[in-house]
Amino acid sequence: MQYIGELISIGVAVSWTVAALGSEIGSRKVGVVAMNAWRLGVAFVLSGVLMWFVFGSLLPQYASSGTVMVLLLSGVVGFFFGDWCLFKSYMVIGSRFGMLFMAMAPMFTALFAWMILGQELGWRPLLAMAVTLTGISVVVLGRGKDHHLELQLPFKGILFGIGASVGQGLGLVLSKIGLDGYEHDVPQELLPNVVDMLPFAANMIRCFAGFVCFALLLVVRRQTDIIRTSSRDTRFLLIMLMVVFTGPFIGVGFSLMAIQYTAAGIASTIQATTPILILVPTYYLFHQPITARSVIGAVVSVIGVSLFFLL
């Protein structure tokens, strides 16, 4: 039990690696919007089953209307905008580089926490930002034929990667506000019995917001038939279920749980190793070469993330 937070964080890092790989495969089969509608819709249903066993209700209990609104907004920002950008980056530059850009999420989290929560932004997070950006730059920039620095990845994919990290960072700050409010809403005599489940309840609310947004987008685009046709694709459904369990259902919930058992800095640093863990699987699955530049860039970016929490 001494290292349960660290063990959970290792599991989260592996879980997010699997989720990223499965998301790229699934999105290439049915498209980004349909994949996310499936992913968040199923995650919402599974979360409801979990709530039934924990609270005796299919919906999260005790949350005030203000808490629900904040968590819904967090879902729109994080699960809809952020994940739309992330999955689009998978389509343009692949999950390996998409996850590398997610190393910037702590940087945007720190910036939004400074702007919204008034948290101090001193030299330590600024140093961490510089190191993280250096690691990403090692991968993104290279010398062209005229020996000038040139982008080694499509500019569109880079924008999607940055958008994903912005959505993740702002969504996390809003989630913290909502989760803090949720703990305040629960009757204090019941809180010790349900505190471990509150991250999953909060995540259910966020999943609902993201699902509604993606479902509406399918309706507006007149692409709802994709859901019907993909429901008959057994291979896709298995991949989608794997992504659901490793991503918005178990992965996100346990990432929030990890910080309850260990320091947030340790948990976040371990969970941020996904850009390193994903190198080998993408080599075998997508035949993407593992270069010295990609390894160095991933390692430096993870070091930069760790500095946000360990300095």
Side-chain angles (χ1 to χ4, degrees), residues 216-244:
L216 289 175
L217 190 55
L218 283 174
V219 172
V220 170
R221 292 182 174 182
R222 298 181 180 179
Q223 296 176 336
T224 53
D225 59 316
I226 297 177
I227 299 298
R228 183 175 61 256
T229 55
S230 60
S231 67
R232 298 192 290 265
D233 188 334
T234 303
R235 183 170 181 268
F236 164 75
L237 291 177
L238 290 174
I239 293 172
M240 182 270 298
L241 287 174
M242 177 187 68
V243 170
V244 169

